[in-house]
């Protein structure tokens, strides 16, 4: 229509045609005016064009923008454009088109499809398109087949039988386009507007820059936790002058104008609802009045995720008569009528409520959602509407602090120091009322919390560093960089029941320093100080940074507090310790700790035993998790365990609060403190502490530092590694435990369609539909329930696949909170692959400090290298663990149980007894009558289906642990009539041609699980992942959970070293000593198959200093020599004494020959002699010729009283001499032992005095046994002279 025609039409409207309304005529006149303006549209762009107010859309952005032409927005201009409630929308453009107005949307065509060109995260899903509807919403899937009857209920409980659309609804009701009302200043045409702006960070044009800055600051100030948000893409959808369907013709003037602004950075998404005018609430089909649109069930306001998942209804306005309050409620950005939400993963409201009844459906929103236990963090809260004159109180657990007013929908509280770990309650009270507004706040331990103050290097561990450079994020204190901050040192110790946290000294200058995030401490300034005896007792502490004079430094008048992590403070006190305690102060402190620690309870025998190998530690999912201080996938510094590739800690504290630590070298072998001081150490106090957390030895992180980490400094790092104190620490008080006696856990798994691998290696297939017991143990020692949910496989090209898959796992032990892990919908896996629900609340693990989270009785974590939440491990206090893994929507669950669960398990994973024959145990503890697991139908009916659970408690099966949302129950998933494929090797459909059984066999090999899944689903991916998960559990059991025989720790001698730190069977260890030392003892040891080291043949190995060794060797040689000389000297001394005592002297005639003329004295017969105990006789033993005078030891001579010389030899005829033979006849001599008639030697045998009967000169003749080494001498038989006088003189010849 040309301009002339429009003028004529307008004139006719006003003058003649009564059927035209005044509003219609005004619209026609508006069009004429707009067309007149379009004549000079270029001039408008060049002169006073304001894109935030004009009806003309800005020009299209050129493909390539020049930086020199970048638009700069002033603070005044930003404030001006932010004052408007509605974001700009246009009903014309430079081409004289309709601008943003969607002219194709009308009562006959209510919706229009729009491609976005980017990923829009919404309610867990991710979409790249949207559908704008006349009925007040933006949807992301097909709408419902019919407009549901009010009240609307989302999600649709009849899904998947009926559609459950995903949508954003500022006002979901049946609408039609109305007309401009009387008195409206905005003359843009009525209808639905849609505008899409992309890539805002790179925009340099005026509209792009202004829109980006306006969105950025509106979102940042309206939504807590969005302080760093930068919008990347945005959608502006406006419904202008829409009325309700079914109304009378004159109701067309009763209209609503509202707007939805959706903006995202493709990770976070925010929705802003701006309500300009609300004239009606309800369409007629919902009970609304046909003229006013009031009454009945008002419109739905909120969000629906779709696909039967989740929904958020904006209470108290949605489908409530209070919906009329939307234009003057919300108070986002201090504007009535603006309501802001965060909607990417779950929906958070950034709006305030003055109706306290809302707190039950709209929980308290706060940011940050977690903080360091030490406190000092500013926590922004949104929930109730605040006013400056009301008293705001915040309660963290049990500690109350006063809050500060920021705006109607925001207050701020400074978190106090809260000795706790894990989730606590954060509640708000207004003017002394009840703490009705509550939320769950996560308290991080000081070691795991993000570093708010950190050191530039590691010199703070040293005793005498010159400088210490520290850093902090300056904006965590204030945006004012010129503000002054104060840095101080605080100390921590535990000497009484209540731990002490005490101010020690001011580190920064008295006037403070600028808040520039960087400061260097000159340690020399603190040397020479005297802090006093009390403060010198502190050895561990923190750096503390706060604003100096906070009331003048920021708008809030309060200051946050930034704490460093716990650290040794020897750099501050070392000089004082040396001056006041002496040079051996470190040894004194170590000894004091040793004395104290020895008096405390012994804990090392009550913590889990370390696995022998790294593979075993990685496989023991129920007892050990990666150490936050030494994790090759996270913090790989390993400062306290140098040379380690990875360390593990016990996931939960034992009943006394202790924990275990196991470290492994680059070869995967267990490191021991007996080998070097960098091995793992058992902990008297676990990092998580123990309830109640506010007592000594129970404070999270701090008690662990005080009792377990600090002694490592005083005993080892601040002394020599070979010192006695370090030996106490390494070998006695914090000695690594070897793996002798370690028992790997048992493992079972479920995967595929679904296939089961029991603890006793039984494999079978069961395709139940519903929720079933995987493991149940219910006795006095163990109480645990682990359940799985199985749902139907997606249909293939031929219809139903007649199989099920694992979609969720739930577990609970004793009094722990329940934990559920479920697979997400396909379109909801853009960020997280799995949902984790703990105590019926969703939790997320996408930040490093929240990777490990602790709850009552259970620890849940994801590996450090997993960023999409596709791998979740659940650890219970008993050592039981559950591992859930997802790959391409294929889920597997593995259960790990310690050896104490043997013969205590039931369920689909069987009875763990090391015998698979009893695995098919029924809930009543009887055994299934069927024994053939290949008969899938009997297995299904007589075993598997009997383990189904529902919401009602059963004494043998328990009750369902799953969180049933949206009015569902366990029966929603259960289908007793479902009949899966019962063939172990299912036949393929006749008409399939894309592959055959041979192709399946080539893919699956011998895996029947793979063949079954491939053939049933007709999807190769199902088969390959079934094979992958089956191979995975087999490899885990054979490698990670194998039993390793260990010989235990082989101690290395002090100042020595081993050739190997291994301790498994076949290991040969050679021991050497350091230079300057000599090895004494066994130098090689062998680890035998019986788990024992070879015995030491030469004594235990010992490294002795060379000086000591040579001294010992000299002493040994001297000892050997003396051992030989001293007996000889003693013998010689005795002989001399004997000679002196008997008076015997050498006879010069011993060597003279007997004269032939001399006669031998006659001898009497033996029988005629008196019997004496000892009688000497001379034998013919050849001896050197000698003579001697003999005198008895009685001092008396012979019977003649004189010494008589006696010849000792006689000269033979040829001149040779014969030696006389001498012998001794004992009184017990038996004549039968000799020939009576044999002549006796021709010697004189005097009768000895009676007193001489006890003397004998050799003591070997009482038994008549021959002498050892007796010379082989033949005795001559001489004729006895029987006429020898009875009393003859004794010969001087003596038997020597």
């Amino acid at each position: 229509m040309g301009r002339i025609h429009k003028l004529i039409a307008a004139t006719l409207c006003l003058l003649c045609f009564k059927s035209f309304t005044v509003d219609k005529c005004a619209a026609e006149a508006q069009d004429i005016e707009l067309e007149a303006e379009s004549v000079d549209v270029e001039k408008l762009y060049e002169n006073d064009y304001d894109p935030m107010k004009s009806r003309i859309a800005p020009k299209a952005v050129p493909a390539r923008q020049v930086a020199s032409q970048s638009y700069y927005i002033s603070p005044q201009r930003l404030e001006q454009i932010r004052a408007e409630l509605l974001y700009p929308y246009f009903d014309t453009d430079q081409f004289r088109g309709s601008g943003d107005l969607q002219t194709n949307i009308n009562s006959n065509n209510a919706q229009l499809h729009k491609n976005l060109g980017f990923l829009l995260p919404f309610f867990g899903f991710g979409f790249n398109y949207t559908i704008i509807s006349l009925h007040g919403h933006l949807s992301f899937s097909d709408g419902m087949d019919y407009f549901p009857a009010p009240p609307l209920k989302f999600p649709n409980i009849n899904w998947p039988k009926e559609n459950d659309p995903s949508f954003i609804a500022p006002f979901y009701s049946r609408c039609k386009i109305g007309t401009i009302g009387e008195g409206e200043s905005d003359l843009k045409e009525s209808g639905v507007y849609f505008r899409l702006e992309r890539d805002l960070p790179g925009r340099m044009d005026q509209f792009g820059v202004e829109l980006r800055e306006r969105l950025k600051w509106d979102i940042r100030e309206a939504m807590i936790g969005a302080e760093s948000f930068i919008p990347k893409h945005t959608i502006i959808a406006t419904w202008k002058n829409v009325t309700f369907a079914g109304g009378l013709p004159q109701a067309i003037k009763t209209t609503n104008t509202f707007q939805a602004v959706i903006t995202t950075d493709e990770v976070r998404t925010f929705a802003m609802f701006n309500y300009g005018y609300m004239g009606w609430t309800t369409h007629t089909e919902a009970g609304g009045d046909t003229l006013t649109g009031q009454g009945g069930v008002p419109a739905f306001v909120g969000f629906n995720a779709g696909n039967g998942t989740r929904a958020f209804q904006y209470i108290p306005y949605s489908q409530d008569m209070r919906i009329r309050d939307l234009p003057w409620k919300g108070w986002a950005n201090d504007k009535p009528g603006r309501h802001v939400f965060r909607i990417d993963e779950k929906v958070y409201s950034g709006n305030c409520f003055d109706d306290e009844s809302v707190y039950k459906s709209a929980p308290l929103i706060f940011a940050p959602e977690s903080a360091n236990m030490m406190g000092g963090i500013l926590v922004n809260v949104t929930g109730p509407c605040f006013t400056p004159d009301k008293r705001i109180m915040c309660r963290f657990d049990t500690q109350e602090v006063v809050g500060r007013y920021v705006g109607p929908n925001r207050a701020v509280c400074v978190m106090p120091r809260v000795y706790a770990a894990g989730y606590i309650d954060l509640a708000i009270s207004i003017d002394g009322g009840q703490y009705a507004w509550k939320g769950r706040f996560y308290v991080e331990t000081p070691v795991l919390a993000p570093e708010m103050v950190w050191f530039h290097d590691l010199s703070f561990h040293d005793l005498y560093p010159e400088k210490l450079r520290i850093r902090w994020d300056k904006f965590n204190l204030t945006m004012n960089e010129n503000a002054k901050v104060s840095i101080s040192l605080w100390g921590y110790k535990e000497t009484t029941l209540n731990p002490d946290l005490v101010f020690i000294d001011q580190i920064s200058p008295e006037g403070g320093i600028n808040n520039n995030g960087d400061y260097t401490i000159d340690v020399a300034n603190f040397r020479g100080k005297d802090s006093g005896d009390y403060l010198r007792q502190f050895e561990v502490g923190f750096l503390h940074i706060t604003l100096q004079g906070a009331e003048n430094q920021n708008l809030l008048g309060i200051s946050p507090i930034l704490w460093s992590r716990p650290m040794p403070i020897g750099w501050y006190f070392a000089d004082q310790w040396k001056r006041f305690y002496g040079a051996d102060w470190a040894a004194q402190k170590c000894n004091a700790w040793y004395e104290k620690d020895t008096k405390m309870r012994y804990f090392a025998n009550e913590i889990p035993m370390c696995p022998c190998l790294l593979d075993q530690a990685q496989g023991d999912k129920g007892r050990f998790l990666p150490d936050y201080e030494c994790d090759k996938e996270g913090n790989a510094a390993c400062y306290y365990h140098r040379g380690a590739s990875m360390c593990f800690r016990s996931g939960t504290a034992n009943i006394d609060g202790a924990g275990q630590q196991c470290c492994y070298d680059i070869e995967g072998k267990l490191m021991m403190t007996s080998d070097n001081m960098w091995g793992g150490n058992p902990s008297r106090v676990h990092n998580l502490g123990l309830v109640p957390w506010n007592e000594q030895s129970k404070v999270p992180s701090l008690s662990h530092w005080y009792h377990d980490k600090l002694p490592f400094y005083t005993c080892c790092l601040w002394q020599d590694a070979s010192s006695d104190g370090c030996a106490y620490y390494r070998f006695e008080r914090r000695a690594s435990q070897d793996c002798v006696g370690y028992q790997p856990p048992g493992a079972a798994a479920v995967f595929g369609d679904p296939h089961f691998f029991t603890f006793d290696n039984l494999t079978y297939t069961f395709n139940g539909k519903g929720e079933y017991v995987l493991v149940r143990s219910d006795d006095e020692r163990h109480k645990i329930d682990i359940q799985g949910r199985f749902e139907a496989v997606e249909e293939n090209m031929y219809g139903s696949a007649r199989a099920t898959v694992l979609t969720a796992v739930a577990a609970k032990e004793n009094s722990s909170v329940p934990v559920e892990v479920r697979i997400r919908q396909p379109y909801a896996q853009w960020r997280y692959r799995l949902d984790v629900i703990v105590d019926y609340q969703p939790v997320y693990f996408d930040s490093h400090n929240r990777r490990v989270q602790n709850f009552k009785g259970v620890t849940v974590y994801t590996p450090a290298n997993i960023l999409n939440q596709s791998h979740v491990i659940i650890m219970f206090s008993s050592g039981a663990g559950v591992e859930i893994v997802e790959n391409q929507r294929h889920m597997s669950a593995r259960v790990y149980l310690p050896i104490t669960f043997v013969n205590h398990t039931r369920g689909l994973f069987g009875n763990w007894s090391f015998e698979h024959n009893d695995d098919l145990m029924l809930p009543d503890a009887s055994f299934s009558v069927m024994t053939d697991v290949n008969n899938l139908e009997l297995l299904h009916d007589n075993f598997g289906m009997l383990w189904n659970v529902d919401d009602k408690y059963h004494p043998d099966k328990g009750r369902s642990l799953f969180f049933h949302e949206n009015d569902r129950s366990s029966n929603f998933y259960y289908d007793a009539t479902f009949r899966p494929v019962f063939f172990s090797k299912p036949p393929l459909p006749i008409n399939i041609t894309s592959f055959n059984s041979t192709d399946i066999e080539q893919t699956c090999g011998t895996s029947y699980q793979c063949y079954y899944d491939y053939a049933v689903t007709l999807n190769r991916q199902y088969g390959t992942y079934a094979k992958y998960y089956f191979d995975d559990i087999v490899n885990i059991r054979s490698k990670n959970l194998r039993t390793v025989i260990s010989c235990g720790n082989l101690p290395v001698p002090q100042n020595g070293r081993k050739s190997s730190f291994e301790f498994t069977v076949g290991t040969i260890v050679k021991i050497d000593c350091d230079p300057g030392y000599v090895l004494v003892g066994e130098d090689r040891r062998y680890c035998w198959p019986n788990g024992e080291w070879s015995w030491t043949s030469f004594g235990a190995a010992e490294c002795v200093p060379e000086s000591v060794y040579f001294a010992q060797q000299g002493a040994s040689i001297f000892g050997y020599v003396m051992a030989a000389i001293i007996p000889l000297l003693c013998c010689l001394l005795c002989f001399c004494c004997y000679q002196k005592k008997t008076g015997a002297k050498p006879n010069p005639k011993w060597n003279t020959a007997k004269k032939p003329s001399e006669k031998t004295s006659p001898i009497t017969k033996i029988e005629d002699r008196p019997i004496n105990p000892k009688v000497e006789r001379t034998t013919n033993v050849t001896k050197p010729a000698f003579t001697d005078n003999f005198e008895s030891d009685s001092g008396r001579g012979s019977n003649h009283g004189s010494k008589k010389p006696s010849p000792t030899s006689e000269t033979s005829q040829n001149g040779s001499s014969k030696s006389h033979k001498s012998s001794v006849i004992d009184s017990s001599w038996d004549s039968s032992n000799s020939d009576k008639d044999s002549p006796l030697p021709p010697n004189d045998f005097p009768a000895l005095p009676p007193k001489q009967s006890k003397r004998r000169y050799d003591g070997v003749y009482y038994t008549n046994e021959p002498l050892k080494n007796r010379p082989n001498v033949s005795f001559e038989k001489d004729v006895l002279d029987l006429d020898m006088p009875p009393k003859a003189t004794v010969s001087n010849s003596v038997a020597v």
Side-chain angles (χ1 to χ4, degrees), residues 45 49-52 69 71 77 204-211:
Y45 282 125
Y49 174 72
D50 187 348
M52 292 295 168
Q69 300 177 356
Y71 173 79
R77 172 63 178 172
M204 302 178 186
D205 59 292
Q206 180 182 356
F207 182 72
V209 172
E210 291 185 347
L211 181 62

Side-chain angles (χ1 to χ4, degrees), residues 34 143 196 294 361 478 500 506 539 578 594 626 707 739 754 787 803 976 980 1123 1155 1171 1229 1272 1281 1291 1295:
L34 183 59
L196 176 63
Q294 302 294 331
S361 58
T478 178
D500 296 328
Q506 187 72 25
E539 300 165 8
K578 184 176 181 179
Y594 176 82
H707 290 282
C739 59
Q787 300 170 1
K1155 295 180 181 181
I1171 298 176
W1229 178 77
N1272 186 14
D1281 186 358
S1291 170

Side-chain angles (χ1 to χ4, degrees), residues 92 145 201 292 333 557 612 651 712 756 760 801 874 955 1019 1179 1191:
T92 188
D145 299 332
T292 62
N333 302 129
C612 297
F712 184 63
F756 293 83
D760 293 330
I874 306 168
N1019 188 326
T1179 62
E1191 181 177 346

